[in-house]
Amino acid sequence: MQRLLMRSPVAVAAFWIGAYIAIALLPLLVLLLHAPPEARNFWIEFSVALGFIGLAMIALQFALTARINRIEASYGVDIILQFHRYISLVAFSLIIIHPLILFVTDPETLQLLNFIEAPWRARFAVVATLALIVLVVTSIWRKSLGIPYEPWRILHGILAVCAVVFGLAHALGVNYYLNLFWKIVLWSAIAVIALWLLIYVRLVKPWFMTKKPYLVEDVIPQRGDVWTLALRPRGHEGMRFQPGQFAWITLDISPFRMREHPFSMSSSGDHPERLEFSIKTLGDFTNTIKDVKPGTKAFLDGPYGVFTTDRYWDAAGFVLIAGGIGITPMMSMLVTACERKDDRPFLLIYANKTWEDVTFREELDTLDENLDLTIVHVLRQPPEDWSGETGYVDKELLERYIPLHRGSRQYFICAAPKMMDQVEAALYDLDVPTTNVHMEHFNLV
Ligand SMILES: Cc1cc2nc3c(=O)[nH]c(=O)nc-3n(C[C@H](O)[C@H](O)[C@H](O)COP(=O)(O)OP(=O)(O)OC[C@H]3O[C@@H](n4cnc5c(N)ncnc54)[C@H](O)[C@@H]3O)c2cc1C
C-alpha cells in the first residue's frame, strides 16, 4: 500500500480524499454502532446526524489550513484553500439545517432560541452558530466590508475555535448520543487533534522556524515597482525547493507573531544558499520592502506548492504564461532550467502594461544563451515604435504561438485573476488537455 502511495500522485490524492470522508463520517458511524437510548422520530435523528457531520467537518478545517506538507504536496495550496472555502459552506449549511429541521418538526423547540431562559446546551448551540455565521460572512465579503487581511485572519481563527468548542459543548450538553463512553472518547479525540493542529501552527512550527533564520543580503530594485529581496541562511544550509514553489516570509519580527506573507522564489531552485523573492509594491507589507536593511532577520515557512516544472520531467516542453508580477515563479523555472542546461523548448508569453514596466526584461534576454527560450512580450500600452504583440493574451494570440501538438507541452499560468480565467478558457477552446494546465493564484484570500 505504502509503495503504491509513493508511486502514484493520483493514489496519494485519492487516499487523502478517502481519509477526509472517513473522518467526517466517523462520528456518525460510531453513533450508529449503538442504538440510541430511546426511539425518536426519523427527522430528529436525521437532523442530529447532519449536526454531527457538520461539526466534524468544521473540526477538519483545522487540518486543511495547518499547511501539512504531505497534503499540500498532493494538491497545492490554492486547491486546498478552495476546498476549505467550499467545504465550509457545506458544513455551514448542514449546521444551519440541523436546528431548522427541529423547529419545523417540533415548533416547541423554537423556545430554545430564547437565550435568557434556554438551557446551557441550547445557548452553546446559539453561540457556535453565531460564530459560524460571522465567520462565513467576514470571509466571503472581507474585501467589501473593508476588513484588512491580518485582523481578519486573527478573527477567523478565534471564530473557528469558538464554533468547534461551543459546538462540542452543545453536543456534550445534549448528552443523548454522547453518553456512551466510546462516543465521548471519539469526540474528545477530534477536539484534541483540532487543538493540537492549532498549537502546531501557532507555536511548534514557528519554534522550528526560529532555529533556521535567514539574513537579508540585498534589496535590489527591479522594473515595475518590484524589489528583489535576497536572503542568506544563517547557521544552516537553506531551503531546497522546486522552481515555481513559494514560501511564507516573516521579516524583522518573531515568527510567533504570525505576520507572514506568501511569495514565490524567483531564484534558482538549485541554490538554497541564496534565496530571492521579487516583491511588487501593492499594500502595507509590500510597501516596506524597499526600506528593509541588509542584515535584517527573516524566517521562512516552506517550500509549498505544486506549480513547478520539476513535476513534469517527461514533458516535451513548457509554455509559461505570465501577467505582471506573475513572472516570479516563471523566472525561477527558467533560471533553474538554464543552469541545468535543460534542452527542452520553453515559450514565455509575458503580458505587461508598458515596456518600462516589464520586470526582469534584461535578465530574461540573457537566459536564451543557454536555453531554448522564445519570449513573446504582450503590451497593453505599447510605445510608438513597438512591433510586437499588443492588447490581451487571448485565443487568437495563443493559437499563433503554442505548438500544434498541444498535449506535448505543460502549461503554467500566473497572472491577475481575470487574465488567468481568460487564458484558461482560451487554452480549453484550443484543445489543450486540462490536465496539462497549471495555475498559481496570488490572491488566496
Ligand atoms: C502562492 C503565492 C505566491 C505569491 N508570490 C508573490 C510574488 O512572488 N511576488 C509578489 O509581489 N507577490 C506575490 N504574492 C502576493 C503577495 O503575497 C501579496 O501581494 C502580499 O501578501 C500583499 O501584502 P500587503 O500587506 O502588501 O498588501 P495588502 O494591501 O495588505 O493586501 C492586499 C491583498 O493581498 C492579500 N494578502 C495580504 N496579506 C496577506 C498574507 N499575509 N497572506 C496571504 N495573502 C495576503 C490579501 O488578499 C489582501 O487583500 C503571492 C501570493 C501567493 C498566494
Side-chain angles (χ1 to χ4, degrees):
M1 173 70 175
Q2 209 176 358
R3 257 195 211 163
L4 171 80
L5 287 177
M6 279 167 62
R7 247 186 243 151
S8 155
V10 178
V12 180
F15 169 81
W16 287 117
I17 292 173
Y20 182 89
I21 295 172
I23 297 173
L25 294 182
L26 191 63
L28 202 56
L29 295 179
V30 175
L31 291 176
L32 292 176
L33 285 181
H34 300 272
E38 309 153 14
R40 294 190 299 196
N41 82 39
F42 166 79
W43 286 109
I44 296 184
E45 301 301 339
F46 182 63
S47 140
V48 172
L50 295 187
F52 274 126
I53 299 176
L55 185 56
M57 285 165 78
I58 296 288
L60 269 168
Q61 298 286 45
F62 287 88
L64 290 177
T65 50
R67 296 191 209 149
I68 299 169
N69 288 65
R70 280 175 185 224
I71 304 181
E72 307 250 341
S74 303
Y75 303 95
V77 174
D78 50 355
I79 293 197
I80 290 182
L81 285 185
Q82 264 190 49
F83 182 72
H84 166 76
R85 274 194 286 269
Y86 291 130
I87 210 71
S88 65
L89 294 180
V90 176
F92 178 67
S93 311
L94 297 182
I95 285 172
I96 294 289
I97 295 171
H98 157 63
L100 287 183
I101 293 178
L102 297 182
F103 297 153
V104 171
T105 54
D106 180 4
E108 275 192 19
T109 50
L110 275 168
Q111 287 171 8
L112 294 171
L113 290 180
N114 181 344
F115 201 79
I116 313 284
E117 286 174 16
W120 276 105
R121 61 173 198 275
R123 292 180 188 161
F124 290 147
V126 170
V127 175
T129 313
L130 285 178
L132 265 185
I133 293 172
V134 178
L135 187 148
V136 168
V137 169
T138 51
S139 301
I140 298 179
W141 291 288
R142 177 181 72 84
K143 285 189 182 158
S144 345
L145 291 169
I147 308 174
Y149 177 81
E150 267 148 18
W152 168 81
R153 197 170 161 199
I154 295 168
L155 178 75
H156 196 72
I158 295 171
L159 291 171
V161 171
C162 285
V164 171
V165 169
F166 285 98
L168 202 62
H170 163 67
L172 287 167
V174 172
N175 201 26
Y176 187 80
Y177 278 100
L178 290 177
N179 54 2
L180 288 168
F181 175 71
W182 286 110
K183 295 173 187 173
I184 293 180
V185 169
L186 173 83
W187 277 105
S188 306
I190 290 182
V192 167
I193 291 170
L195 189 68
W196 160 248
L197 287 170
L198 199 69
I199 293 172
Y200 172 74
V201 173
R202 302 275 159 178
L203 298 174
V204 179
K205 224 173 191 188
W207 184 78
F208 278 117
M209 283 159 69
T210 60
K211 303 281 150 211
K212 292 191 169 180
Y214 291 78
L215 291 184
V216 173
E217 192 170 74
D218 274 323
V219 182
I220 307 157
Q222 308 274 355
R223 289 180 180 277
D225 233 352
V226 172
W227 297 81
T228 290
L229 193 71
L231 305 182
R232 193 164 284 280
R234 190 183 181 193
H236 59 101
E237 285 182 354
M239 186 178 74
R240 291 213 156 266
F241 67 94
Q242 297 176 326
Q245 287 190 300
F246 71 96
W248 295 79
I249 304 184
T250 307
L251 267 186
D252 207 19
I253 49 167
S254 147
F256 292 99
R257 296 271 300 277
M258 299 294 291
R259 288 181 56 195
E260 42 174 16
H261 291 255
F263 294 100
S264 305
M265 281 68 82
S266 55
S267 53
S268 162
D270 294 341
H271 286 287
E273 75 286 355
R274 180 177 155 110
L275 302 174
E276 291 181 2
F277 298 86
S278 302
I279 299 176
K280 186 163 179 82
T281 301
L282 277 176
D284 301 348
F285 176 73
T286 47
N287 270 327
T288 64
I289 298 298
K290 58 180 179 305
D291 303 319
V292 173
K293 299 274 168 288
T296 303
K297 226 177 202 181
F299 300 98
L300 295 182
D301 179 17
Y304 290 109
V306 291
F307 189 75
T308 170
T309 40
D310 271 14
R311 283 167 77 96
Y312 306 96
W313 54 269
D314 55 351
F318 298 97
V319 176
L320 314 179
I321 303 164
I325 192 61
I327 190 65
T328 54
M330 316 302 191
M331 191 64 191
S332 175
M333 294 179 201
L334 292 171
V335 172
T336 313
C338 187
E339 285 183 5
R340 291 180 187 167
K341 303 209 174 345
D342 195 328
D343 58 2
R344 292 173 290 180
F346 283 76
L347 165 66
L348 172 67
I349 298 176
Y350 186 15
N352 279 286
K353 193 169 171 191
T354 68
W355 187 228
E356 290 309 307
D357 278 345
V358 180
T359 310
F360 298 132
R361 194 173 97 186
E362 289 78 10
E363 291 86 338
L364 283 167
D365 278 342
T366 62
L367 283 176
D368 53 11
E369 285 164 21
N370 284 320
L371 199 61
D372 178 357
L373 171 64
T374 309
I375 304 175
V376 179
H377 286 286
V378 185
L379 299 180
R380 288 196 302 285
Q381 291 175 11
E384 279 184 5
D385 56 347
W386 180 252
S387 57
E389 294 289 350
T390 57
Y392 293 92
V393 180
D394 54 17
K395 185 177 161 191
E396 287 67 39
L397 185 144
L398 288 166
E399 200 167 18
R400 284 200 288 281
Y401 292 101
I402 65 174
L404 280 179
H405 299 288
R406 280 152 196 174
S408 64
R409 302 287 193 270
Q410 294 292 335
Y411 299 74
F412 290 83
I413 315 171
C414 186
K418 201 168 164 201
M419 175 172 162
M420 301 227 324
D421 290 346
Q422 284 168 355
V423 171
E424 186 188 21
L427 291 176
Y428 181 79
D429 286 348
L430 290 168
D431 295 327
V432 171
T434 44
T435 48
N436 289 31
V437 178
H438 317 284
M439 312 216 284
E440 186 76 297
H441 292 268
F442 275 7
N443 59 330
L444 286 180
V445 281

